[in-house]
Amino acid sequence: MQQAVPYRAFLRGSGGSGSGGRRPPGDNSAAVNGHGSIGTSVRSMVLENPVIVFGRRGCCMCHVVKLLLLGLGVNPTLYEVDEGDEAAVVGELARIVGAGEGRPQFPAVFVGGKLFGGLERVMATHISGELVPILKDAGALWL
């Protein structure tokens, strides 16, 4: 008989995100756990995923963004950051974005490898009808 493994125990045993660790099928969330290079994993995740949402663990605004994107047919990667790793991740996101854009805040949504914005920008472009064409251009939607 198989035994259920608690989600947090599974993350600790997997070696974290970006290190080739196993995750449950259909789970496209990642967690920063202080092992390995945060900068390398953040940069590679931004470049490898058409849509990725960076946010604090348990953030309701991140959850809203994820649900909106799921409702549109996008399967976004959610990168959940613990409090202790927040400064390192925000610093790395700022390096990826560049000095002219300012400091990213959570939730930070990247579409096609570029910073798209936060909850306000995602909602505004969705309401105006511009979000779906942007997601199609990034390869996140095939319809």
Side-chain angles (χ1 to χ4, degrees):
M1 184 166 163
Q2 293 182 347
Q3 204 174 26
V5 178
Y7 184 70
R8 289 200 183 266
F10 185 81
L11 285 177
R12 269 186 251 116
S14 69
S17 67
S19 63
R22 292 180 46 206
R23 293 190 305 232
D27 177 28
N28 59 339
S29 63
V32 178
N33 63 1
H35 302 296
S37 173
I38 290 175
T40 305
S41 64
V42 169
R43 184 175 304 276
S44 65
M45 287 186 77
V46 167
L47 295 174
E48 291 172 1
N49 293 292
V51 177
I52 184 166
V53 179
F54 290 90
R56 290 181 190 93
R57 183 175 303 280
C59 172
C60 62
M61 293 184 296
C62 302
H63 185 69
V64 168
V65 169
K66 183 180 177 184
L67 287 179
L68 172 66
L69 293 170
L70 284 170
L72 293 173
V74 176
N75 194 12
T77 301
L78 181 62
Y79 195 84
E80 295 179 330
V81 181
D82 289 325
E83 284 183 41
D85 296 322
E86 188 173 325
V89 172
V90 170
E92 184 57 32
L93 291 176
R95 279 191 283 287
I96 292 170
V97 171
E101 296 290 322
R103 202 148 173 89
Q105 296 180 342
F106 295 134
V109 181
F110 283 78
V111 176
K114 296 180 181 149
L115 179 64
F116 184 73
L119 174 65
E120 201 171 294
R121 171 93 192 273
V122 171
M123 293 299 288
T125 54
H126 172 63
I127 290 169
S128 69
E130 299 169 1
L131 184 58
V132 170
I134 291 170
L135 294 170
K136 283 181 183 177
D137 290 342
L141 281 176
W142 296 286
L143 301 174

